[in-house]
Amino acid sequence: QVQLRESGGGAVQAGDSLTLSCEASGGTFSNYAMAWFRQAPGKEQEFLAARDLHTHYADSVKGRFTISRDNAKNTVYLQMNSLKPEDTAVYYCAAQYIGGIIRAAEEYDYWGQGTQVTVSS
């Protein structure tokens, strides 16, 4: 059973940068695609970025957010630059065994508990 733990959220101002981390335990990390999603109050869950053998980004964050993973540390990161108030949300990391639809939340079997990011104008 894979367990995920996010960290690095906080309150920032528009234009600031923030890096989130997600540490995984259990399972073989390299066998899993890792992704970041977010959910703002009253909004649907939104795919942001993922890494399997490739890198995937949502159009909404492409060019501002960067996903990376360190298999030796069982950790995936999300570097967020030029943050906007509309980026305010709870950010979740998720894992699926490689082979599923990379952008589909329902394909992910394991989820962290989330970390809050609040961006003020």
Side-chain angles (χ1 to χ4, degrees), residues 99-121:
I101 301 170
I102 201 72
R103 291 173 170 82
E106 63 267 24
E107 296 284 349
Y108 288 82
D109 302 302
Y110 307 103
W111 293 81
Q113 294 190 356
T115 185
Q116 176 72 45
V117 173
T118 302
V119 185
S120 60
S121 60

Side-chain angles (χ1 to χ4, degrees), residues 14-70:
D16 284 353
S17 297
L18 203 59
T19 299
L20 307 180
S21 299
C22 175
E23 184 178 0
S25 60
T28 301
F29 187 69
S30 61
N31 287 344
Y32 292 86
M34 301 295 299
W36 288 96
F37 294 81
R38 69 185 179 190
Q39 188 164 24
K43 300 292 185 68
E44 294 182 353
Q45 191 174 55
E46 179 186 11
F47 170 82
L48 298 175
R51 284 288 302 275
D52 45 18
L53 298 177
H54 308 280
T55 305
H56 315 263
Y57 291 103
D59 289 343
S60 61
V61 302
K62 190 177 299 182
R64 293 193 300 125
F65 291 9
T66 302
I67 187 170
S68 61
R69 65 188 290 170
D70 186 337

Side-chain angles (χ1 to χ4, degrees), residues 13-16 60 64 81-88 91 118-120:
Q13 297 185 74
D16 284 353
S60 61
R64 293 193 300 125
N81 298 325
S82 301
L83 284 164
K84 307 172 182 179
E86 52 262 44
D87 294 318
T88 296
Y91 285 68
T118 302
V119 185
S120 60

